[in-house]
Amino acid sequence: MALIAILSAILLVQQIALSFLPNVQTTVLLIVLYTKVLGFKKTTLIIMIHVILYNTLSPFGAVIPLHFISMFVGYMIIPISLQTIFKKLKSPLQLASAGLLFGFLYGWAFIPVSVFVLGIPFMTYFLMDLPFEMVMAVSNFLSIYWLYEPLSKLLIVQTAHYYLETK
Amino acid sequence: MKKLAVKFIVSIIALASVFTAIQLLKTDHQALTSGEIELILVDESGTVIYEEWITFEEGMTFYDVLQAHFELTCANASYQADDTCSYTFSSFGSSDKVILGIKGTTFELVTDWQHSYLSIYKWDGSEFRLTAQGVMQLVFEDQDRIKIAVEEVW
């Protein structure tokens, strides 16, 4: 549990710290990393903690409570796809390319609530959100491409130490 | 060394592609011809307080049209009322002003962003549809009908 708490805190702090730059973050990089190193269940728990804390503590959180669900779904696409259709992706370039796609899928996860609850016209929302999705996509691509490999080695070593210490 | 060079090149290509795509998504929000639009202003009780055809010139944005006919109050960077409308919000690929108030000779619409705001609707031939675009981004042309209404936040 301590490991999940620490990794959730890292995820939360980096996103709040980078909030002044819309959609520029390393959240997707960390979720990819957690999924690959810790597995699906632990990553799901970390995402749940992150979504609740970010939306309740950050001034940049959800506009309406239903966006909690959109954010959760948007982030859960990552561990679900990395455990299924993208299971064979291993290299930083392959994972970064998936990160590019996650940038758009994350943005699209907000469409149902925005269109059906807030009443924003679909095409207008879709077109206005595209630049933000592109920024998130390239931010995901670059962060995963450059940082996945070193962080992956670091996290594997640190989790091994953690499990040895706690046994 | 070669691997690092490839990483740099791929990263630059990714950044350049996104920058180009965002530039391509930018559309021209200025009027292509001179003309007139019907402007309807609705207050917080739903009452139509202004309904007139107003003229515009080629090259004007919708914000320019409003500024030419009314006294505007905009939001500054911290969403406080600013009669000079000097602040422009900027984001990826677009920039816009947030209008909090419109004052004419016989009426005044006032919002504060915390409890109320102005929504812009455009007639699509059968009904007024929420535009979800700001006053500098709204695409309009001669004979369009545009409604601005005060909305409560909750």
Side-chain angles (χ1 to χ4, degrees):
Chain A
M1 281 309 282
L3 183 71
I4 287 171
I6 292 166
L7 296 177
S8 302
I10 293 170
L11 195 62
L12 180 69
V13 168
Q14 63 78 34
Q15 188 158 351
I16 291 176
L18 289 168
S19 290
F20 68 99
L21 294 168
N23 282 19
V24 176
Q25 32 73 13
T26 53
T27 309
V28 172
L29 158 72
L30 291 174
I31 294 173
V32 168
L33 191 69
Y34 295 167
T35 308
K36 285 289 183 185
V37 177
L38 304 173
F40 182 80
K41 284 182 185 170
K42 288 192 176 83
T43 307
T44 302
L45 193 56
I46 291 170
I47 291 173
M48 283 172 76
I49 294 167
H50 175 70
V51 169
I52 293 167
L53 290 181
Y54 182 77
N55 286 304
T56 48
L57 297 178
S58 170
F60 302 98
V63 178
I64 59 167
L66 275 173
H67 274 155
F68 276 48
I69 300 166
S70 305
M71 196 180 198
F72 181 69
V73 169
Y75 284 139
M76 279 307 294
I77 289 169
I78 303 165
I80 290 169
S81 57
L82 287 178
Q83 291 289 316
T84 53
I85 51 169
F86 293 148
K87 200 169 185 175
K88 288 181 180 172
L89 302 188
K90 294 273 190 292
S91 76
L93 184 60
Q94 288 174 331
L95 290 169
S97 303
L100 206 65
L101 179 68
F102 293 146
F104 291 95
L105 295 177
Y106 177 81
W108 296 342
F110 286 78
I111 288 178
V113 170
S114 301
V115 171
F116 297 115
V117 180
L118 297 178
I120 300 171
F122 170 77
M123 196 47 80
T124 305
Y125 183 87
F126 181 75
L127 290 174
M128 296 299 282
D129 201 42
L130 264 182
F132 294 92
E133 289 163 10
M134 286 177 187
V135 170
M136 187 174 180
V138 80
S139 165
N140 294 346
F141 180 85
L142 294 176
S143 59
I144 295 170
Y145 193 37
W146 284 91
L147 299 173
Y148 176 76
E149 212 167 17
L151 287 180
S152 176
K153 285 174 188 167
L154 187 73
L155 188 61
I156 288 167
V157 170
Q158 291 303 318
T159 46
H161 278 305
Y162 171 80
Y163 287 124
L164 282 173
E165 295 280 333
T166 52
K167 264 186 181 175
Chain B
M1 194 65 192
K2 193 184 169 189
K3 197 180 168 188
L4 197 65
V6 170
K7 267 193 167 183
F8 267 111
I9 293 166
V10 170
S11 301
I12 289 166
I13 291 170
L15 276 171
S17 305
V18 166
F19 180 78
T20 309
I22 289 174
Q23 292 302 312
L24 288 173
L25 277 173
K26 277 187 179 177
T27 51
D28 193 356
H29 308 294
Q30 295 172 327
L32 298 174
T33 60
S34 298
E36 57 178 9
I37 51 173
E38 187 185 25
L39 183 69
I40 301 161
L41 301 178
V42 181
D43 69 10
E44 58 276 12
S45 64
T47 310
V48 174
I49 57 168
Y50 181 88
E51 190 171 6
E52 299 281 342
W53 285 87
I54 57 174
T55 56
F56 63 86
E57 302 297 325
E58 183 185 339
M60 281 179 145
T61 63
F62 183 58
Y63 169 77
D64 296 328
V65 179
L66 291 176
Q67 200 182 36
H69 291 85
F70 308 103
E71 285 178 39
L72 302 178
T73 301
C74 303
N76 63 16
S78 51
Y79 286 90
Q80 299 302 307
D82 170 28
D83 291 338
T84 65
C85 285
S86 55
Y87 185 76
T88 303
F89 292 85
S90 293
S91 189
F92 307 115
S94 68
S95 57
D96 218 319
K97 291 185 185 290
V98 172
I99 293 184
L100 296 178
I102 303 173
K103 188 179 177 185
T105 49
T106 56
F107 68 89
E108 186 170 11
L109 278 185
V110 182
T111 63
D112 63 3
W113 192 254
Q114 286 188 331
H115 304 96
S116 56
Y117 62 96
L118 294 175
S119 276
I120 308 172
Y121 297 84
K122 196 173 159 186
W123 183 255
D124 71 352
S126 58
E127 61 176 327
F128 280 103
R129 283 191 177 272
L130 185 69
T131 63
Q133 289 164 321
V135 283
M136 289 172 78
Q137 300 294 316
L138 188 67
V139 178
F140 66 101
E141 58 186 27
D142 187 30
Q143 301 304 307
D144 272 350
R145 298 177 70 200
I146 296 170
K147 181 171 83 174
I148 299 177
V150 175
E151 309 268 351
E152 300 293 319
V153 172
W154 292 109

